[in-house]
Amino acid sequence: MSRGNTRQRIQDVALELFAEQGYEKTSLREIAERLDVTKAALYYHFKTKEDIVISLFADLGRPVDELIAWAEEQPRTLATKQEILRRYHVALMGALPLFRFMHENQATVRELSIGETFKARMTTLAGMIQDPGASMVDRVRCVSALFTMHAGLWLMQTVEGEEAEKRQAVLDVAIDLVTQAHRAEAG
Amino acid sequence: MSRGNTRQRIQDVALELFAEQGYEKTSLREIAERLDVTKAALYYHFKTKEDIVISLFADLGRPVDELIAWAEEQPRTLATKQEILRRYHVALMGALPLFRFMHENQATVRELSIGETFKARMTTLAGMIQDPGASMVDRVRCVSALFTMHAGLWLMQTVEGEEAEKRQAVLDVAIDLVTQAHRAEAG
Amino acid sequence: MSRGNTRQRIQDVALELFAEQGYEKTSLREIAERLDVTKAALYYHFKTKEDIVISLFADLGRPVDELIAWAEEQPRTLATKQEILRRYHVALMGALPLFRFMHENQATVRELSIGETFKARMTTLAGMIQDPGASMVDRVRCVSALFTMHAGLWLMQTVEGEEAEKRQAVLDVAIDLVTQAHRAEAG
Amino acid sequence: MSRGNTRQRIQDVALELFAEQGYEKTSLREIAERLDVTKAALYYHFKTKEDIVISLFADLGRPVDELIAWAEEQPRTLATKQEILRRYHVALMGALPLFRFMHENQATVRELSIGETFKARMTTLAGMIQDPGASMVDRVRCVSALFTMHAGLWLMQTVEGEEAEKRQAVLDVAIDLVTQAHRAEAG
DNA sequence: GATGAATGAGGTTTCATTCAT
DNA sequence: AATGAATGAAACCTCATTCAT
């Protein structure tokens, strides 16, 4: 039934459990049991528990890296900023469980070796949608735009309404915030 | 030997460590050692580890409860909504470590018995600054206002600038978001 | 409400819990809580946990000592043996929880300082209803008579029927066993 | 390193210690030390401490189950009853430490998950050697027959004499009790 | 590509007990 | 006659990890 896809299956189950229960509350035993393999099998594919998280990051976080790389070559126009948000939105939606995990386990992620990387990426991204000499209020607007998207993860669960509509609204508000900030500085 | 302040000291140290390292990574041994008492002493004052968190929430989260109680008796005007945000801001700033802990350990908090309560309070608060028939975008603006304040916790650490100025900016943006949402619906 | 009777109340509650849950599973905290006093209060009245058991033994086990003392001055006739069983039956019924506790916690009692005493009393009693040179089968009959009474504690809970009737039947069978043993040896 | 006999060795040592000191007084540390393995090794083979007891019961208690199954298909004649006792005697002698443990730790066993099962088996067995409409005295005789065998465990240690002779006497008395009960009802 | 057996460290919790007040 | 605060020891249990097979 299963051939060379065990590594993938481990990642899937691990992410599912990490997102659901948190990193520390999820034991390797649990992951192994759900896959119907032994714990030792996990160690054939990953060197440590942390390694599983790192691999998830490497695989699912790539789009954000690509987004940053792309953004670095664009002019800092309003259109670019808006496109950054749009692409970030796509990246987020493409790896919801991973971002949910990161958002809800910040204290844990901070201690992990990827913690630095994660924070750096967010800071870079925030820097890219802000203007260099922006007012504090406009700075906050930009950071808030990013957080609004993350907040969307929570929103999705508590506010009723159609999934697609909610996603669109989240993106709209984020773009609006950045636009306001841009206009205030440019005007 | 020591006076009746041990309970309080446990809470202080526990919150400090929980906020710094996360709930699961903080062991009772660590708390006890830092206080120079035995682990058993913690159990004289608190029935379980979870009980410590509950007590923190009960003591420091009270202002939010009071805010909700107050808000329930006000008319749903724009002024009220703005005042809710102002008061929430005060509550947040008065118990920064607790809210930082909650924000960064959501996965953990969700599993704790206070998880439900916490979520319910956030939902109630969100409901109070929204209009009943608001558009999805305006709904998101209101939720985003709340999250912007939480994001402030993160902001405080990553953006440079004067503390007081950052706090004020966070509040301003939040109020602005709610005001926009209100005007859109009322207009 | 309570005056000098705390010591008595501790004994009552302790025996109740010991009989119900076993000695080791019953903690001093539990006893104290049920009495609505602190654990330290128990230590005002008893030096150790074991001391509580010892005191129960001393108070409630006295009748058996008196029975032995009485029996030692009687001739070893059949009538005496029967009377021993009758009196033992009365002693048993007068302190059911204590005997239930002893019967169901033999492994524990053996380790307690009273363990020796307890065993010695049973052996003495067994010796008094046997004939010196009795056959092995008749010896067993006599020991069995004693155990039948203890078994009665269990019987009381599992067989249906009137309490008084069951008690009488238990005594009848015990007396019958000893009588058979006596006749076999005497005849 | 060691072959697949660790599980068995744990059971052996555990039963030995449980029978000797009681269940609660025997710690897993003690068992592990005597086997020269770590506590964690015990947990590889058994999920909990209670699980060890359950496994002992399952392995060594099987003969009693088989006896009950066999008895259920026999006619309720005197010969059957006598054979039940004979077979029960064999089962008992084949797992003396287990039954000694059960007998001397009734309070503990009652709280364990097997407690119900244990009691049920005894009750079933008792029911099988009684006549449906028997007098209370004859009922007691039958229960007493069973307890006499258990009493034998105690007897073995306190009365002097040859082992084989004592065993035989215990069985004889038990059979005699059931025979008397049967004749009384049938006659 | 995976298992079975085990470990070492450490976790939370409970217990009987003490003692100054 | 009893409490409040604390301790030291030890309990059961879980975890990430290792390694020979």
Side-chain angles (χ1 to χ4, degrees):
Chain A
M1 201 160 264
S2 68
R3 253 207 314 292
N5 61 338
T6 301
R7 193 190 143 93
Q8 173 76 47
R9 287 171 62 225
I10 293 172
Q11 287 180 312
D12 291 350
V13 167
L15 180 50
E16 189 180 327
L17 290 173
F18 288 163
E20 195 183 311
Q21 317 176 337
Y23 177 75
E24 338 264 353
K25 289 269 278 189
T26 303
S27 68
L28 295 184
R29 179 177 53 66
E30 213 173 345
I31 296 174
E33 263 169 19
R34 204 179 269 215
L35 285 167
D36 207 37
V37 294
T38 60
K39 271 181 292 174
L42 306 185
Y43 279 88
Y44 178 79
H45 293 282
F46 299 94
K47 244 186 10 238
T48 66
K49 184 183 182 186
E50 188 170 345
D51 229 48
I52 300 181
V53 173
I54 293 174
S55 83
L56 289 170
F57 235 89
D59 290 9
L60 296 169
R62 205 184 337 260
V64 176
D65 276 337
E66 288 168 5
L67 160 57
I68 291 177
W70 171 87
E72 259 158 0
E73 301 189 346
Q74 304 308 120
R76 298 255 181 144
T77 63
L78 176 57
T80 298
K81 291 176 187 173
Q82 292 173 340
E83 184 61 17
I84 288 176
L85 291 180
R86 259 179 238 115
R87 293 189 179 206
Y88 188 55
H89 191 242
V90 171
L92 235 57
M93 296 305 145
L96 268 182
L98 179 68
F99 286 96
R100 183 173 167 216
F101 163 65
M102 292 194 311
H103 189 68
E104 296 188 349
N105 292 270
Q106 287 180 53
T108 297
V109 169
R110 201 182 332 124
E111 310 264 297
L112 262 33
S113 66
I114 45 148
E116 291 294 297
T117 313
F118 174 57
K119 196 171 174 180
R121 291 216 279 227
M122 287 296 291
T123 309
T124 303
L125 224 45
M128 283 171 157
I129 53 179
Q130 287 176 223
D131 275 327
S135 73
M136 187 58 78
V137 162
D138 282 323
R139 270 182 147 71
V140 170
R141 276 206 181 88
C142 293
V143 173
S144 186
L146 247 36
F147 264 78
T148 295
M149 284 176 159
H150 289 186
L153 301 174
W154 187 74
L155 196 84
M156 252 104 236
Q157 302 173 308
T158 53
V159 173
E160 49 190 69
E162 253 186 90
E163 199 68 359
E165 193 192 358
K166 283 190 282 187
R167 292 184 182 198
Q168 187 58 48
V170 162
L171 179 55
D172 288 350
V173 170
I175 288 181
D176 192 39
L177 277 162
V178 166
T179 306
Q180 282 178 47
H182 183 87
R183 297 246 161 87
E185 302 304 319
Chain B
M1 202 159 263
S2 67
R3 279 198 318 291
N5 62 335
T6 301
R7 193 190 144 94
Q8 173 76 46
R9 286 172 62 224
I10 293 172
Q11 287 180 313
D12 291 349
V13 168
L15 180 50
E16 191 180 324
L17 291 174
F18 287 164
E20 194 183 310
Q21 319 177 335
Y23 176 76
E24 344 260 353
K25 291 270 276 189
T26 303
S27 69
L28 296 182
R29 179 181 52 68
E30 217 172 342
I31 299 175
E33 262 169 20
R34 201 178 273 216
L35 286 167
D36 204 39
V37 293
T38 60
K39 276 178 287 169
L42 307 185
Y43 278 90
Y44 175 75
H45 293 282
F46 299 95
K47 266 210 311 275
T48 66
K49 186 183 180 186
E50 186 171 346
D51 222 51
I52 300 180
V53 173
I54 293 174
S55 83
L56 289 170
F57 198 69
D59 290 8
L60 296 170
R62 207 185 336 261
V64 176
D65 275 337
E66 287 166 6
L67 160 57
I68 290 177
W70 171 85
E72 257 157 3
E73 300 191 345
Q74 307 306 121
R76 297 256 183 142
T77 63
L78 176 57
T80 297
K81 291 176 187 172
Q82 293 173 339
E83 182 63 17
I84 287 176
L85 290 180
R86 257 178 241 116
R87 292 189 179 207
Y88 189 55
H89 192 243
V90 170
L92 235 56
M93 295 305 144
L96 266 182
L98 177 68
F99 284 97
R100 184 170 164 221
F101 163 66
M102 299 260 163
H103 190 68
E104 295 189 349
N105 292 269
Q106 287 180 53
T108 298
V109 169
R110 193 169 354 109
E111 309 267 295
L112 262 34
S113 66
I114 45 154
E116 291 292 296
T117 314
F118 178 57
K119 194 173 175 180
R121 294 220 276 227
M122 287 298 291
T123 308
T124 303
L125 224 46
M128 282 171 157
I129 54 178
Q130 289 176 221
D131 276 326
S135 72
M136 186 57 79
V137 163
D138 283 323
R139 270 182 146 71
V140 170
R141 276 206 180 89
C142 292
V143 173
S144 186
L146 248 36
F147 265 77
T148 293
M149 283 175 160
H150 288 186
L153 302 174
W154 188 74
L155 194 83
M156 254 108 234
Q157 302 174 309
T158 54
V159 172
E160 50 191 69
E162 253 185 274
E163 199 68 0
E165 194 193 356
K166 284 190 281 187
R167 293 186 182 197
Q168 186 59 48
V170 162
L171 178 55
D172 287 349
V173 171
I175 289 181
D176 192 38
L177 277 162
V178 166
T179 306
Q180 283 179 45
H182 183 87
R183 296 245 162 86
E185 302 304 318
Chain C
M1 198 160 263
S2 68
R3 252 206 316 289
N5 61 339
T6 300
R7 193 189 141 92
Q8 173 76 46
R9 286 172 60 227
I10 293 172
Q11 287 181 312
D12 291 350
V13 167
L15 180 50
E16 190 181 326
L17 290 173
F18 288 163
E20 195 183 310
Q21 317 176 336
Y23 176 75
E24 339 264 353
K25 289 269 277 190
T26 303
S27 68
L28 294 185
R29 178 179 53 65
E30 212 174 346
I31 297 174
E33 262 168 20
R34 203 179 270 215
L35 286 167
D36 207 38
V37 294
T38 60
K39 272 181 291 174
L42 306 185
Y43 278 88
Y44 178 81
H45 293 281
F46 298 95
K47 245 189 7 241
T48 67
K49 185 183 181 185
E50 188 170 345
D51 228 50
I52 300 181
V53 172
I54 293 174
S55 82
L56 288 171
F57 235 89
D59 291 8
L60 295 169
R62 204 181 343 256
V64 175
D65 277 336
E66 289 167 4
L67 160 57
I68 290 177
W70 171 85
E72 259 158 0
E73 300 189 347
Q74 305 307 118
R76 298 257 182 142
T77 62
L78 176 56
T80 298
K81 291 176 187 172
Q82 292 173 339
E83 182 62 17
I84 288 176
L85 290 181
R86 258 179 239 114
R87 291 189 179 208
Y88 189 56
H89 192 243
V90 170
L92 234 57
M93 296 304 145
L96 266 182
L98 178 68
F99 284 96
R100 184 172 166 218
F101 162 66
M102 291 194 311
H103 189 69
E104 296 188 349
N105 292 271
Q106 287 179 53
T108 297
V109 169
R110 201 181 333 125
E111 309 265 296
L112 262 33
S113 64
I114 44 149
E116 291 294 298
T117 314
F118 174 57
K119 196 172 176 179
R121 292 216 278 228
M122 287 297 290
T123 309
T124 304
L125 224 46
M128 283 171 157
I129 53 178
Q130 288 176 223
D131 275 327
S135 72
M136 186 58 77
V137 163
D138 282 323
R139 267 181 149 72
V140 171
R141 276 207 181 88
C142 292
V143 173
S144 185
L146 248 36
F147 262 78
T148 294
M149 283 176 159
H150 288 185
L153 302 174
W154 188 75
L155 197 83
M156 252 103 236
Q157 302 173 309
T158 53
V159 172
E160 50 190 69
E162 255 186 272
E163 199 69 0
E165 194 192 356
K166 284 190 281 187
R167 292 184 181 198
Q168 186 58 47
V170 163
L171 179 55
D172 287 350
V173 170
I175 288 181
D176 192 38
L177 277 162
V178 167
T179 305
Q180 282 179 46
H182 183 88
R183 296 246 163 86
E185 301 304 318
Chain D
M1 205 158 260
S2 67
R3 277 197 320 290
N5 63 334
T6 300
R7 193 189 143 93
Q8 173 76 46
R9 286 172 62 225
I10 293 172
Q11 286 181 313
D12 291 349
V13 168
L15 180 50
E16 191 181 324
L17 290 173
F18 288 164
E20 194 183 310
Q21 320 176 335
Y23 176 76
E24 344 261 352
K25 292 271 276 190
T26 304
S27 69
L28 295 183
R29 179 181 51 68
E30 215 173 344
I31 297 175
E33 263 170 18
R34 201 179 273 216
L35 286 167
D36 204 40
V37 292
T38 59
K39 274 177 290 167
L42 305 186
Y43 280 91
Y44 175 75
H45 293 281
F46 299 94
K47 266 208 314 276
T48 65
K49 186 182 181 186
E50 185 171 347
D51 223 49
I52 300 180
V53 173
I54 292 174
S55 83
L56 289 170
F57 200 68
D59 290 7
L60 297 170
R62 204 183 339 259
V64 176
D65 275 335
E66 287 167 5
L67 160 56
I68 290 177
W70 171 86
E72 258 158 2
E73 300 190 346
Q74 306 307 119
R76 298 258 182 140
T77 62
L78 176 56
T80 297
K81 291 176 187 173
Q82 292 171 341
E83 183 62 17
I84 287 175
L85 290 181
R86 256 178 241 115
R87 293 188 178 207
Y88 188 55
H89 191 242
V90 170
L92 235 56
M93 295 305 144
L96 266 183
L98 177 68
F99 284 97
R100 184 170 163 220
F101 163 65
M102 298 261 165
H103 190 67
E104 296 189 349
N105 292 271
Q106 286 181 55
T108 297
V109 169
R110 193 167 356 108
E111 309 266 298
L112 262 32
S113 67
I114 44 153
E116 291 292 296
T117 314
F118 178 57
K119 195 173 175 179
R121 292 220 277 227
M122 287 298 291
T123 309
T124 303
L125 224 46
M128 282 171 157
I129 51 178
Q130 288 175 223
D131 275 326
S135 73
M136 185 58 77
V137 163
D138 282 323
R139 269 183 147 70
V140 171
R141 275 206 180 87
C142 292
V143 173
S144 186
L146 247 36
F147 266 77
T148 294
M149 283 176 160
H150 288 185
L153 300 175
W154 189 75
L155 196 83
M156 253 107 236
Q157 300 173 308
T158 53
V159 173
E160 49 190 70
E162 252 186 276
E163 199 68 359
E165 194 193 357
K166 283 190 282 187
R167 291 185 182 199
Q168 186 58 49
V170 162
L171 178 56
D172 287 348
V173 171
I175 289 182
D176 192 40
L177 277 163
V178 167
T179 306
Q180 282 179 46
H182 183 88
R183 296 246 162 85
E185 303 304 317

mmCIF file of all heavy atoms in Angstrom, chain B residues 39-53:
data_model
loop_
_atom_site.group_PDB
_atom_site.id
_atom_site.type_symbol
_atom_site.label_atom_id
_atom_site.label_comp_id
_atom_site.label_asym_id
_atom_site.label_seq_id
_atom_site.Cartn_x
_atom_site.Cartn_y
_atom_site.Cartn_z
ATOM 1 N N LYS B 39 9.080 21.960 45.480
ATOM 2 C CA LYS B 39 7.927 21.782 44.599
ATOM 3 C C LYS B 39 6.658 21.577 45.411
ATOM 4 O O LYS B 39 5.588 22.077 45.068
ATOM 5 C CB LYS B 39 8.147 20.561 43.693
ATOM 6 C CG LYS B 39 8.956 20.816 42.459
ATOM 7 C CD LYS B 39 9.147 19.527 41.656
ATOM 8 C CE LYS B 39 10.131 18.592 42.356
ATOM 9 N NZ LYS B 39 10.159 17.244 41.759
ATOM 10 N N ALA B 40 6.805 20.842 46.500
ATOM 11 C CA ALA B 40 5.616 20.560 47.311
ATOM 12 C C ALA B 40 4.984 21.841 47.840
ATOM 13 O O ALA B 40 3.765 21.887 48.053
ATOM 14 C CB ALA B 40 5.975 19.626 48.456
ATOM 15 N N ALA B 41 5.802 22.852 48.045
ATOM 16 C CA ALA B 41 5.252 24.118 48.532
ATOM 17 C C ALA B 41 4.286 24.702 47.516
ATOM 18 O O ALA B 41 3.258 25.283 47.867
ATOM 19 C CB ALA B 41 6.378 25.105 48.824
ATOM 20 N N LEU B 42 4.607 24.548 46.228
ATOM 21 C CA LEU B 42 3.694 25.028 45.190
ATOM 22 C C LEU B 42 2.344 24.340 45.322
ATOM 23 O O LEU B 42 1.300 24.958 45.138
ATOM 24 C CB LEU B 42 4.263 24.758 43.798
ATOM 25 C CG LEU B 42 5.675 25.253 43.484
ATOM 26 C CD1 LEU B 42 5.990 24.999 42.022
ATOM 27 C CD2 LEU B 42 5.806 26.729 43.802
ATOM 28 N N TYR B 43 2.423 23.063 45.664
ATOM 29 C CA TYR B 43 1.184 22.297 45.753
ATOM 30 C C TYR B 43 0.396 22.608 47.005
ATOM 31 O O TYR B 43 -0.766 22.240 47.132
ATOM 32 C CB TYR B 43 1.477 20.799 45.638
ATOM 33 C CG TYR B 43 1.625 20.411 44.194
ATOM 34 C CD1 TYR B 43 2.858 20.448 43.560
ATOM 35 C CD2 TYR B 43 0.513 20.071 43.442
ATOM 36 C CE1 TYR B 43 2.980 20.131 42.224
ATOM 37 C CE2 TYR B 43 0.630 19.746 42.119
ATOM 38 C CZ TYR B 43 1.864 19.778 41.508
ATOM 39 O OH TYR B 43 1.973 19.463 40.178
ATOM 40 N N TYR B 44 1.048 23.258 47.939
ATOM 41 C CA TYR B 44 0.276 23.719 49.094
ATOM 42 C C TYR B 44 -0.615 24.887 48.655
ATOM 43 O O TYR B 44 -1.743 25.028 49.108
ATOM 44 C CB TYR B 44 1.194 24.146 50.231
ATOM 45 C CG TYR B 44 0.429 24.728 51.377
ATOM 46 C CD1 TYR B 44 -0.291 23.898 52.237
ATOM 47 C CD2 TYR B 44 0.375 26.092 51.577
ATOM 48 C CE1 TYR B 44 -1.030 24.429 53.283
ATOM 49 C CE2 TYR B 44 -0.359 26.630 52.617
ATOM 50 C CZ TYR B 44 -1.056 25.791 53.466
ATOM 51 O OH TYR B 44 -1.792 26.314 54.493
ATOM 52 N N HIS B 45 -0.124 25.679 47.741
ATOM 53 C CA HIS B 45 -0.862 26.872 47.340
ATOM 54 C C HIS B 45 -1.749 26.665 46.117
ATOM 55 O O HIS B 45 -2.751 27.359 45.959
ATOM 56 C CB HIS B 45 0.121 28.019 47.093
ATOM 57 C CG HIS B 45 0.801 28.482 48.334
ATOM 58 N ND1 HIS B 45 0.186 29.296 49.249
ATOM 59 C CD2 HIS B 45 2.026 28.212 48.850
ATOM 60 C CE1 HIS B 45 1.011 29.533 50.261
ATOM 61 N NE2 HIS B 45 2.135 28.890 50.048
ATOM 62 N N PHE B 46 -1.361 25.739 45.257
ATOM 63 C CA PHE B 46 -2.155 25.482 44.052
ATOM 64 C C PHE B 46 -2.318 23.985 43.850
ATOM 65 O O PHE B 46 -1.359 23.237 43.999
ATOM 66 C CB PHE B 46 -1.474 26.113 42.837
ATOM 67 C CG PHE B 46 -1.331 27.597 42.935
ATOM 68 C CD1 PHE B 46 -0.156 28.169 43.409
ATOM 69 C CD2 PHE B 46 -2.381 28.437 42.584
ATOM 70 C CE1 PHE B 46 -0.027 29.541 43.525
ATOM 71 C CE2 PHE B 46 -2.253 29.811 42.687
ATOM 72 C CZ PHE B 46 -1.073 30.369 43.160
ATOM 73 N N LYS B 47 -3.517 23.589 43.498
ATOM 74 C CA LYS B 47 -3.811 22.155 43.388
ATOM 75 C C LYS B 47 -3.057 21.501 42.251
ATOM 76 O O LYS B 47 -2.661 20.343 42.352
ATOM 77 C CB LYS B 47 -5.315 21.936 43.212
ATOM 78 C CG LYS B 47 -6.046 21.691 44.507
ATOM 79 C CD LYS B 47 -7.286 20.806 44.362
ATOM 80 C CE LYS B 47 -8.218 21.195 43.252
ATOM 81 N NZ LYS B 47 -9.182 22.237 43.622
ATOM 82 N N THR B 48 -2.916 22.210 41.123
ATOM 83 C CA THR B 48 -2.205 21.665 39.974
ATOM 84 C C THR B 48 -1.452 22.783 39.268
ATOM 85 O O THR B 48 -1.627 23.962 39.584
ATOM 86 C CB THR B 48 -3.172 21.052 38.947
ATOM 87 O OG1 THR B 48 -3.954 22.102 38.405
ATOM 88 C CG2 THR B 48 -4.076 20.003 39.573
ATOM 89 N N LYS B 49 -0.673 22.398 38.308
ATOM 90 C CA LYS B 49 0.034 23.394 37.514
ATOM 91 C C LYS B 49 -0.981 24.274 36.774
ATOM 92 O O LYS B 49 -0.848 25.498 36.722
ATOM 93 C CB LYS B 49 0.930 22.682 36.497
ATOM 94 C CG LYS B 49 1.829 23.596 35.704
ATOM 95 C CD LYS B 49 2.635 22.809 34.663
ATOM 96 C CE LYS B 49 3.561 23.690 33.850
ATOM 97 N NZ LYS B 49 4.234 22.952 32.757
ATOM 98 N N GLU B 50 -1.979 23.645 36.223
ATOM 99 C CA GLU B 50 -3.021 24.382 35.512
ATOM 100 C C GLU B 50 -3.684 25.399 36.418
ATOM 101 O O GLU B 50 -4.068 26.487 35.987
ATOM 102 C CB GLU B 50 -4.069 23.393 34.969
ATOM 103 C CG GLU B 50 -5.101 24.060 34.098
ATOM 104 C CD GLU B 50 -6.008 23.067 33.389
ATOM 105 O OE1 GLU B 50 -5.691 21.860 33.364
ATOM 106 O OE2 GLU B 50 -7.038 23.508 32.857
ATOM 107 N N ASP B 51 -3.813 25.017 37.681
ATOM 108 C CA ASP B 51 -4.442 25.906 38.654
ATOM 109 C C ASP B 51 -3.704 27.235 38.768
ATOM 110 O O ASP B 51 -4.323 28.266 39.061
ATOM 111 C CB ASP B 51 -4.442 25.218 40.020
ATOM 112 C CG ASP B 51 -5.758 25.414 40.726
ATOM 113 O OD1 ASP B 51 -6.785 25.143 40.100
ATOM 114 O OD2 ASP B 51 -5.748 25.865 41.880
ATOM 115 N N ILE B 52 -2.419 27.217 38.576
ATOM 116 C CA ILE B 52 -1.656 28.466 38.638
ATOM 117 C C ILE B 52 -2.107 29.385 37.511
ATOM 118 O O ILE B 52 -2.367 30.573 37.721
ATOM 119 C CB ILE B 52 -0.145 28.190 38.535
ATOM 120 C CG1 ILE B 52 0.304 27.291 39.694
ATOM 121 C CG2 ILE B 52 0.640 29.501 38.574
ATOM 122 C CD1 ILE B 52 1.783 26.966 39.688
ATOM 123 N N VAL B 53 -2.222 28.837 36.317
ATOM 124 C CA VAL B 53 -2.683 29.637 35.186
ATOM 125 C C VAL B 53 -4.081 30.166 35.442
ATOM 126 O O VAL B 53 -4.377 31.333 35.203
ATOM 127 C CB VAL B 53 -2.683 28.804 33.891
ATOM 128 C CG1 VAL B 53 -3.324 29.585 32.763
ATOM 129 C CG2 VAL B 53 -1.267 28.418 33.514
#
